[in-house]
Amino acid sequence: MKKLKDVRVGILQIPITRIALLIFADLLSVLLASVLSLYVRYDFKFMDVPRYFWEALLECYIPNVLVMLVVFNIFRLYKSVWRYASDTELVNNAIAVLFCAVMQLVICVVCGIRLPDSHPFFYGVFLLIFTAGIRFSYRILRVFQNRRLSRRSGLTKFNCMIVGAGAAGNAILKEIETSHYLNMHVSCAIDDHPGCHGKYLRGVPIVGGRECIPECVEKYDIDEIIIAIPSASRSALRPLLDICKETGCKLRILPGMYQLITGDVSVSQLREVQIEDLLGRDPIEVNVDDIIGYVQDQIVLVTGGGGSIGSELCRQIAQHEPRRLIVFDIYENGAYELQQELKVRYPDLNLVVLIGSVRNTARVEDIFRTYRPHIVYHAAAHKHVPLMEDSPREAIKNNVFGTLKVARAADRYGVRRFVMISTDKAVNPTNIMGASKRICEMVIQNQNLKSRTEFVAVRFGNVLGSNGSVVPLFKKQIAQGGPVTVTSPDIVRYFMTIPEAVSLVLQAGAYAKGGEIFVLDMGEPMKMLDMAKNLIKLSGFRVDEDIKIEFIGLRPGEKMYEELLMNEEGLQETANRMIHIGRPIEFDSEVFEEQLERLNRMAMSEEGDIRRMVREIVPTYQYEE
């Protein structure tokens, strides 16, 4: 117990000792500043200073000290952590010294003490030099100490280049400079502003604009490029990233302006450049007020809630204060991980996680009867094209009739809005998965004709990073040393990020009036070959030297390019310029329902060629016999 008490006393004594030493140093600073002011005034000759000025100096000393102690305490100059001192502390120090110099003049006038007219000025200058020098010596010593510790640690330093000599770049440099845990050496900085060229940022030369990057990578033997331009949009960053990825250096980037505004700019905030950064367009923006307006205080059900799209839907819905969020999925691991995440992030969220299949009519009915959801997002589906080509009946059972059972339950139990996740593969489908999703769209449109529920579908292209996406496959192949397999050098796809896809789905729910197929303007399609090359370069490898690319041909059911709209569909704009509405294709409802019954019998019987029946329902479906 006594030992613990001694430790506590020691801990308390450390700051008191430092404060006492700092006060003692300041007392000496006042004395030295006063003496040197007279020394400078009389041309650096002590013998020429009149005796009465030395006597006046002694009379002023005690008042000057008292003023200094009070003013310095007000400006917290005895409470700052000087090893982390910044320009804020320097400004406070300067203002405090200015007060002290002015007060010396006041003291002389009030007390009738005579000193040279220039004395307050020189006194303030020398006092600032001494007090600031003493305080900032902590930081200078810390820099040297960190360098010494870094050398002792044996960490191999690697050379970095910072692109962006602004506030974010300065913050990154500051942390690297003051930390002995980072084995980074910033050799140069790049900035497109010509006025910065040839200057220094915290001792690091700003060598030129982005056109100098390849040359400087070679000159300074750069291993890593840090892009510190959080204000730049994705479309503005793409040309810069195109230059950087050709250097073969590891690339890291600050996420965005939020970190700069909140002061969280640090090395720990850096992330690796992702393929999403090379899409060449800014993320889709949605009207958050619209989303909040129809999600807040509602009971929301998400089928397939543990999947890539479903889980992100749940995350974004949880932000908008639903009355209850119901996650329904057949895959328990994904549902469990999402449950634990949402519990931590949103402890007040009324969350229900249920396991089951959309193909189970009784289970679906029980959920709707028990929880009475107001809004349903239907994301449950089989999506892997090659797997569904080998098991076409499972695509029909799960996608078509799972959707039908959930849609009928939504109608029966008075759901207000039903939003189904569709795909660009539903347009002129060449695979059973795409054809099944086209039938799902028809199911939604048909249900909307005879229900008070507003049924809509949302159609978009490939989602980067989702389960089954090509990007994780490419990354895995790169990690294994290659080769990276691409189906064809000419194959193209539309791409979007998971948050963008979910934003579109939420916005579609806000725009829904019933029967629409919402389509995202996804910009220009991207060649799969270019994507593979970019991923190899972003991983720090050289294409066809370190990692080879092999062409394996189209897989069953794949086509060279995807479409978002059928030829007979037209486009109608919405309030969001990136979201459009495709005009529904007319079909005979009675004939369609009869075809669905026959399709169901064929799917359950495991007999006959189900693809023929699917093509009867979806005439645009093309497949090899």
Side-chain angles (χ1 to χ4, degrees), residues 28 35 126 179 226 237 266 321 343 384 528 536 593 603 610:
L28 289 178
V35 171
F126 284 117
S179 175
I226 297 173
L237 275 178
S266 68
E321 302 176 0
K343 279 184 177 180
H384 292 264
M528 300 298 293
I536 292 171
E593 290 179 3
I610 199 167

Side-chain angles (χ1 to χ4, degrees), residues 365-385:
E365 290 282 329
D366 179 64
I367 290 171
F368 277 84
R369 182 171 54 250
T370 303
Y371 296 100
R372 304 279 175 161
H374 301 128
I375 303 170
V376 174
Y377 293 98
H378 181 53
H382 286 327
K383 304 179 182 72
H384 292 264
V385 170

Side-chain angles (χ1 to χ4, degrees), residues 237-247 278 534 537:
L237 275 178
R238 181 173 180 179
L240 175 61
L241 292 173
D242 286 340
I243 295 172
C244 292
K245 67 183 174 64
E246 297 297 332
T247 63
L278 299 174
N534 285 336
K537 291 173 183 177

Side-chain angles (χ1 to χ4, degrees), residues 67-80:
V67 167
M68 180 205 67
L69 292 175
V70 172
V71 172
F72 277 29
N73 189 54
I74 290 173
F75 281 88
R76 300 177 181 176
L77 297 185
Y78 296 117
K79 297 179 181 179
S80 297

Side-chain angles (χ1 to χ4, degrees), residues 276-337:
E276 291 92 327
D277 297 309
L278 299 174
L279 281 178
R281 58 174 172 79
D282 294 332
I284 305 301
E285 294 182 0
V286 298
N287 190 327
V288 177
D289 292 334
D290 284 348
I291 297 171
I292 292 176
Y294 83 91
V295 169
Q296 193 173 40
D297 200 34
Q298 302 295 302
I299 301 172
V300 183
L301 168 65
V302 180
T303 71
S308 306
I309 299 297
S311 61
E312 181 63 21
L313 268 169
C314 293
R315 292 183 192 98
Q316 294 197 25
I317 291 168
Q319 298 174 19
H320 301 312
E321 302 176 0
R323 186 187 307 174
R324 174 177 287 165
L325 175 59
I326 306 161
V327 179
F328 181 44
D329 202 298
I330 195 170
Y331 181 54
E332 59 179 308
N333 291 345
Y336 174 77
E337 289 176 7

